[in-house]
Every structure is written in structure tokens, then in C-alpha cells.
Amino acid sequence: MTFAAEFMATWVGGSEESWFDFEKLSKYRIKKNPEFTQKFKDQPNCFYLISVDIGRLQDSTVACIFRVNIKNGKYYSTLVNIEVLGKQSETKTFTQQAIDLKLLIEKYNPREVLIDCNGLGLGIADEMIKTHIDGLGRELPAYGFFNNDDYKKIQPKDSIQILYSMKANGPLKSKINGNAYSRLNSGLVRFLITEQEARLALLATKQGQKMKMRERVLRLLPHEQTTKLFEEMANLRVKNIGTDIVLEPINKRFHDDRYYSFAYGLWRIKEIEEEQIKKQKRRSAGKRNLIFYT
């Protein structure tokens, strides 16, 4: 980033037109280490959620991995990793992307996996309900949707039903954008520190100094992906279309795959939070406050 700013005259901060406050968001980059597997197991107030925005040719398929911690009824989320599925053209087939996603599920054991099933998303959804063989010759199970009636008719009965189908149309996308803005500005989301900070911290340890170049690159990659997410958000401005919140890129060269994968995840976390509040209200609906006199 320093080289890009000083030697290539590349702007790496937010624009005055940006809808998101780049400087304010940067204050929430406080998590030092990414999580490459499930770190917290069998804890009632903690769960993982994976949200996926689908791409095929020019766009990328991006998976955002959230760890959600429940404190005092509020759902705080930390973006612990960002994975791009099918990085090369030969691995961008929906079959390979589905295998990559299933391997992520195996690592994190998420409560839910959100998939954008609009358009291209149906391709990977069709693959997720099948079994696959990974590169080590292991059979990966079929996963099913728990909220999509069409897939419930065709997915295997014994499939692991943790998939959540989202169809982000215009009105819903407006709400998703508004929710992302609200949760970010309310301080409910935390991010990984910058790759520069992470590199310095890593090289200050004996373990980091002994790492091979490839190991070091893989260790720092989640920090770099988080920076790319921030660049995408800083490149978005509001387009004036009625009362809907429609975002468009300031610079057309930047994509928004990471942002929408991230925003979809925050929307689902909000829905889960509201569902839990409704359950608690139903439980307490039949109770009465009684006063006893001696």
C-alpha cells in the first residue's frame, strides 16, 4: 500500500463520495490473528457463519467467514477470514468451487452457510446437494437447504441441511446495504489488522522467522483480503434512485464481490438475532408477574 501510494500515485484511502467512512472503519481492524479452522467449539454463545457471493468468469466467488459472539443479547461478529474459491480459470468450475466450499465447512463447522442463489448461484447450489471426491480421495457429503422448498424436493434426504438460500433482489439489496452500514457504524463488527502490522508482528516471533516464504504468504493472505474488502467498500457511493439504497462503484475497475459476500453475511446474522429475540418473547408471553403479600 505504501509503495502504491508513494511511487504509483494510487489512492488507497476512501473517497469523499464513499458511502462508508474509510477512516472510521479502519479503527475496527483490531483482530491480530486470522482463524483457519474452528477455534471455539461447543460454546452456546459463539458460532461460525459462512456467506458466499457467486462469480464465474470475470467475477470471483468469495466466502466470508464470520465468528459470532453473543453478549448481553447482542450479536457481535468478527470477520476471521476471507477465501476466494476457484482462484484460477481451470478451478473456477462450479464443481471445484463446491468442493472448496465443502472443505471450508469441514474446517469451520458453521451453523449456517449462506449462498446467493440468484442467477449464477444456482450452479453452485446444484453442486452442493451432490457428493464429491476431494484431492485426497475422500468423499465429501451432500449439503441441503433448510429454507428453499424447491431444493427440499430434490436434495438427498440425508443431506446435512445447513445451507441458507438468499435471493438478493432490488428491495432486499437496499435493506442489506442499510443493515451493513448500521452494524458497521454501531461497532458490532471487527476485522483483521492490516497486512503491514501483521507482517511486523509475525517477523518479531521465532515461529514467523522460521516460516518459509509460501507459509508466510498464506498466513498474511487473510489480512490482504480484508484490505481488498475495505478498498471495495471505499469505492462505493450511493446512487440516487428513490428511497432505495443502491450502491455503485466510483471507479469501475474495482469489483464488489467481497463487499456483497460480507454484507450478505451481516444480513443473515441480523436475521438470526431477530429470530432469537422473537423466541424469547414467545417464551415470556405466558408468564405473569405476581406480587405476594405476607
Side-chain angles (χ1 to χ4, degrees):
M1 287 178 66
T2 303
F3 184 88
E6 295 186 5
F7 295 96
M8 300 180 68
T10 301
W11 177 248
V12 292
S15 165
E16 290 183 357
E17 298 179 79
S18 298
W19 194 49
F20 294 102
D21 188 334
F22 186 86
E23 298 300 326
K24 186 174 182 179
L25 291 181
S26 297
K27 295 178 182 177
Y28 297 130
R29 299 193 69 167
I30 59 175
K31 181 170 172 55
K32 294 182 179 179
N33 299 312
E35 295 176 18
F36 296 100
T37 58
Q38 182 188 21
K39 186 177 179 181
F40 298 91
K41 297 180 180 180
D42 302 323
Q43 294 193 16
N45 292 325
C46 178
F47 65 89
Y48 288 82
L49 183 141
I50 300 176
S51 60
V52 188
D53 181 48
I54 310 300
R56 180 61 181 88
L57 296 175
Q58 301 301 322
D59 297 324
S60 300
T61 294
V62 179
C64 283
I65 298 97
F66 294 88
R67 173 165 49 81
V68 181
N69 294 86
I70 307 169
K71 296 179 182 178
N72 300 321
K74 288 189 176 182
Y75 282 52
Y76 295 88
S77 51
T78 303
L79 188 62
V80 298
N81 201 353
I82 301 175
E83 289 273 359
V84 177
L85 310 182
K87 298 178 180 67
Q88 287 81 34
S89 57
E90 61 270 18
T91 60
K92 266 195 172 184
T93 62
F94 288 133
T95 299
Q96 186 58 49
Q97 288 188 28
I99 291 174
D100 290 347
L101 180 53
K102 288 182 178 184
L103 292 175
L104 281 181
I105 294 172
E106 189 177 76
K107 290 178 181 178
Y108 291 98
N109 188 27
R111 173 172 169 171
E112 293 182 13
V113 178
L114 180 151
I115 297 177
D116 176 20
C117 289
N118 258 341
L120 288 174
L122 292 174
I124 198 169
D126 287 344
E127 290 292 331
M128 289 299 292
I129 65 174
K130 304 175 184 176
T131 58
H132 294 90
I133 304 297
D134 70 0
L136 299 176
R138 300 179 306 142
E139 183 177 272
L140 301 176
Y143 290 90
F145 291 89
F146 63 84
N147 71 320
N148 189 311
D149 292 335
D150 292 331
Y151 275 100
K152 284 181 179 180
K153 297 174 184 176
I154 60 174
Q155 64 195 21
K157 299 298 182 184
D158 60 346
S159 59
I160 304 170
Q161 297 187 20
I162 61 170
L163 303 183
Y164 178 87
S165 171
M166 169 179 277
K167 293 186 178 180
N169 53 26
L172 178 56
K173 221 166 190 177
S174 173
K175 293 179 181 178
I176 289 170
N177 291 330
N179 176 69
Y181 186 90
S182 174
R183 295 188 82 86
L184 286 168
N185 283 279
S186 299
L188 296 174
V189 189
R190 294 292 183 267
F191 302 91
L192 294 170
I193 59 176
T194 66
E195 57 270 36
Q196 292 86 358
E197 294 175 283
R199 185 179 290 108
L200 289 173
L202 185 63
L203 293 177
T205 65
K206 291 183 179 180
Q207 183 182 2
Q209 294 168 6
K210 292 179 182 178
M211 278 184 177
K212 296 179 181 179
M213 181 62 70
R214 176 179 172 79
E215 293 174 333
R216 197 176 296 161
V217 168
L218 291 175
R219 168 59 181 77
L220 296 173
L221 189 57
H223 300 271
E224 296 177 14
Q225 291 290 349
T226 302
T227 295
K228 290 182 178 180
L229 167 65
F230 271 55
E231 290 173 355
E232 288 186 9
M233 288 195 291
N235 187 52
L236 294 172
R237 63 185 173 195
V238 177
K239 187 177 181 181
N240 293 323
I241 301 180
T243 57
D244 288 341
I245 302 172
V246 179
L247 301 181
E248 64 176 3
I250 300 169
N251 187 331
K252 303 295 183 184
R253 291 181 299 171
F254 283 81
H255 296 278
D256 54 14
D257 312 310
R258 291 172 185 81
Y259 165 70
Y260 277 108
S261 174
F262 169 72
Y264 293 159
L266 290 184
W267 176 258
R268 182 56 190 153
I269 292 168
K270 180 195 78 80
E271 286 186 327
I272 294 173
E273 183 177 12
E274 291 177 344
E275 288 168 6
Q276 184 60 30
I277 292 172
K278 289 179 181 178
K279 287 180 182 178
Q280 291 174 347
K281 287 182 177 179
R282 283 197 295 267
R283 290 195 197 106
S284 60
K287 296 179 181 178
R288 292 183 300 167
N289 293 322
L290 302 177
I291 301 174
F292 294 90
Y293 296 93
T294 61

